[in-house]
Amino acid sequence: MTKCATAGRIHVLALTVLLAACATPQSRAPLYDQFGKLEGLNAVVDGLVERIHANAQIAPLFANTDMARFHQLLVEYLCMTIGGPCTYTGEELVEVHTGLDITEAEFNSLVEDLIDVMQERNIPRAAQNELLDRLAPTRKDIIYQ
Ligand code: HEM
């Protein structure tokens, strides 16, 4: 075998090892772990609550809300949604949001706040998208109720 062919084989091997290493670590971790478990979720919801208060488009909707209860229930809901060991103890989302008449724009605005917080917390992009995909079906229960 020539020197070049041997070098070529070594390169292929190195590439295979490298690709395998790239595919494994966080992408295969459970979604709940990728969010940093309960501690990470609490931090995400802390950040979201801060942003809701600072977001003039949606803050008024929360004027009469008990934010401690909202925080607790949202952590439970998100935890359950990403396969964590939590039970959501609140009411059905459709009931909770009935009477608020949340518009599509308001819905999107809150989701943008959520994305910003997840980004700030360095949640892997694929994990963010997985949560958003799982939340998407709730949209119909939340808007225009
Ligand atoms: C993205 C999906 C959403 C989920 C999973 C969700 C989840 C929740 C949960 C768990 C609660 C607490 C329930 C309770 O107090 O019993 C809640 C309350 C509330 N949500 Fe949402 N929510 C979503 C979207 C939105 C959006 C887009 C808005 C407005 C822009 C919104 C506005 C509110 C308000 C104002 C309350 C408090 C209601 C009250 O004080 O009675 N939610 N939501």
Side-chain angles (χ1 to χ4, degrees):
M1 198 182 294
T2 65
K3 265 190 185 166
C4 262
T6 312
R9 277 182 187 210
I10 290 169
H11 277 128
V12 169
L13 190 72
L15 196 67
T16 310
V17 170
L18 204 70
L19 285 176
C22 287
T24 10
Q26 35 168 251
S27 54
R28 297 225 184 119
L31 195 53
Y32 178 65
D33 293 9
Q34 294 191 60
F35 271 84
K37 302 188 176 172
L38 214 45
E39 202 188 336
L41 271 180
N42 266 299
V44 165
V45 174
D46 281 348
L48 183 62
V49 166
E50 249 176 53
R51 279 165 198 266
I52 286 173
H53 286 312
N55 182 340
Q57 191 177 11
I58 56 174
L61 288 164
F62 291 85
N64 299 317
T65 297
D66 172 348
M67 291 311 277
R69 177 188 155 88
F70 171 76
H71 190 293
Q72 154 97 27
L73 289 170
L74 190 58
V75 168
E76 286 178 9
Y77 192 90
L78 295 180
C79 174
M80 176 190 74
T81 302
I82 59 176
C86 309
T87 307
Y88 172 61
T89 60
E91 316 253 309
E92 297 287 329
L93 290 190
V94 68
E95 284 164 31
V96 171
H97 298 91
T98 293
L100 293 171
D101 202 17
I102 294 166
T103 64
E104 268 192 89
E106 287 162 350
F107 184 98
N108 293 343
S109 185
L110 185 139
V111 170
E112 270 166 36
D113 283 345
L114 175 62
I115 293 170
D116 287 348
V117 177
M118 293 192 291
Q119 202 55 31
E120 195 179 273
R121 301 279 317 155
N122 293 318
I123 312 287
R125 197 56 84 102
Q128 295 183 24
N129 288 339
E130 185 58 39
L131 171 61
L132 297 175
D133 279 358
R134 292 182 190 190
L135 287 177
T138 67
R139 188 186 182 97
K140 64 175 183 342
D141 293 332
I142 290 168
I143 59 172
Y144 302 124
Q145 299 296 329

